[in-house]
Amino acid sequence: MDKQWPSAADAVADIRDGASIAVGGFGLSGNPIALIQALLAQGTSDLSIVSNNCGVDDWGLGVLLAAKRIRKMTSSYVGENKEFERQFLKGSLELELTPQGTLAEKLRAGGSGIAAFYTQTGVGTQVAEGGLPRRYAADGTVAVASPPKDIRSFAVEGNPRDFVLEEAITTDFSLVHAALGDRHGNLVFSKAARNFNPLAAMAGRICIAQVERLVEPGELDPDRVHLPGVFVHRIIEVGTDIEKRIERRTVRPDGKGN
């Protein structure tokens, strides 16, 4: 039951080239940066990453991208990373662009043993009909496009509506960040860091969690636990002073025109 590991490097040591990884975080909030940096340091490459976004050029998943360690991204938002744009348009990065709510549900379904589900999101667009560029060729043409998905009609409040079939996501590993955790793997997330971290954790066959503060089993109020330890396999403590960044810092005027 004791899932504590001595270091980030030890915790990710068996993540090999070509692995698929679900990574938590929303923007830069809740990025498991210690685990990402350990993965960078060990040189793992050809990764298929599932995450809401890909960090920024020099932080979060952006550090793996800059080192050309990522082969494919499954994301809903990619607008903060110029290197992402460069690699995608050049043809060296594959992208499966997925609506944000759909991505969240695909991860949750994967962690819940649900193979697929129908949703209205994307009906009438290339998300459902296919044709979204997934990988470009060097000459700028589309080398790989998204395939069409199954569409079925269901009665909603007595009226037929079209729904598109979305398959669940499971990955070899998942990397997440939490504010609190115990040695049994129970996790508590802070504010926006709760976005995607629990879902990413559920989707990974082996979930590795970094926590700011590790407590003894029984110290967490069961009603406060956001993710039960059954989904978590390894846990490391990174401290409350770990560096956290903000994509775009905005401040109010000081009343003096500044």
Side-chain angles (χ1 to χ4, degrees):
M1 291 294 291
D2 188 346
K3 300 175 181 179
Q4 184 178 8
W5 283 55
S7 69
D10 291 320
V12 304
D14 59 345
I15 301 181
R16 301 304 181 195
D17 293 351
S20 59
I21 310 174
V23 181
F26 190 72
L28 296 185
S29 177
N31 275 206
I33 189 62
L35 296 171
I36 291 170
Q37 290 174 330
L39 199 58
L40 175 71
Q42 84 174 26
T44 311
S45 62
D46 197 36
L47 296 170
S48 177
I49 304 288
V50 181
S51 187
N52 180 59
N53 57 288
C54 196
V56 293
D57 288 320
D58 62 345
W59 198 249
L61 287 169
V63 300
L64 290 174
L65 188 69
K68 296 181 173 58
R69 304 289 178 78
I70 300 176
R71 173 183 58 82
K72 178 184 178 181
M73 282 295 306
T74 301
S75 299
S76 69
Y77 177 67
V78 296
E80 297 290 341
N81 195 315
K82 293 181 181 178
E83 178 62 15
F84 191 110
E85 178 185 21
R86 189 192 69 78
Q87 289 191 27
F88 178 53
L89 294 179
K90 186 180 177 181
S92 57
L93 177 68
E94 184 177 346
L95 169 63
E96 187 170 344
L97 197 61
T98 306
Q100 191 170 87
T102 301
L103 180 61
E105 182 62 11
K106 284 163 78 79
L107 291 166
R108 191 202 68 82
S112 301
I114 298 169
F117 58 91
Y118 281 95
T119 176
Q120 293 183 78
T121 303
V123 171
T125 74
Q126 287 182 304
V127 169
E129 296 168 0
L132 275 175
R134 285 193 175 176
R135 184 169 58 81
Y136 284 99
D139 62 1
T141 59
V142 176
V144 178
S146 64
K149 298 175 181 178
D150 181 54
I151 298 174
R152 286 186 59 186
S153 179
F154 294 90
V156 179
E157 297 179 349
N159 298 310
R161 294 185 183 177
D162 286 341
F163 289 73
V164 58
L165 181 69
E166 293 284 359
E167 296 184 8
I169 291 176
T170 57
T171 56
D172 300 323
F173 295 87
S174 57
L175 308 179
V176 300
H177 173 94
L180 288 171
D182 64 23
R183 288 187 292 103
H184 288 175
N186 299 301
L187 301 181
V188 177
F189 303 94
S190 177
K191 300 179 176 65
R194 194 173 174 183
N195 290 326
F196 280 96
N197 267 302
L199 305 172
M202 292 173 66
R205 296 182 185 92
I206 297 176
C207 173
I208 308 170
Q210 64 171 59
V211 299
E212 296 178 34
R213 188 160 67 91
L214 188 65
V215 301
E216 291 301 309
E219 289 189 45
L220 294 179
D221 179 352
D223 283 338
R224 290 191 62 204
V225 171
H226 297 141
L227 185 76
V230 68
F231 290 109
V232 179
H233 305 87
R234 305 170 189 173
I235 192 167
I236 64 163
E237 186 174 24
V238 295
T240 57
D241 59 347
I242 189 171
E243 183 180 0
K244 300 174 183 177
R245 296 192 186 180
I246 300 173
E247 294 102 314
R248 301 188 184 204
R249 187 179 297 275
T250 302
V251 296
R252 292 181 299 174
D254 61 7
K256 299 178 182 179
N258 298 320

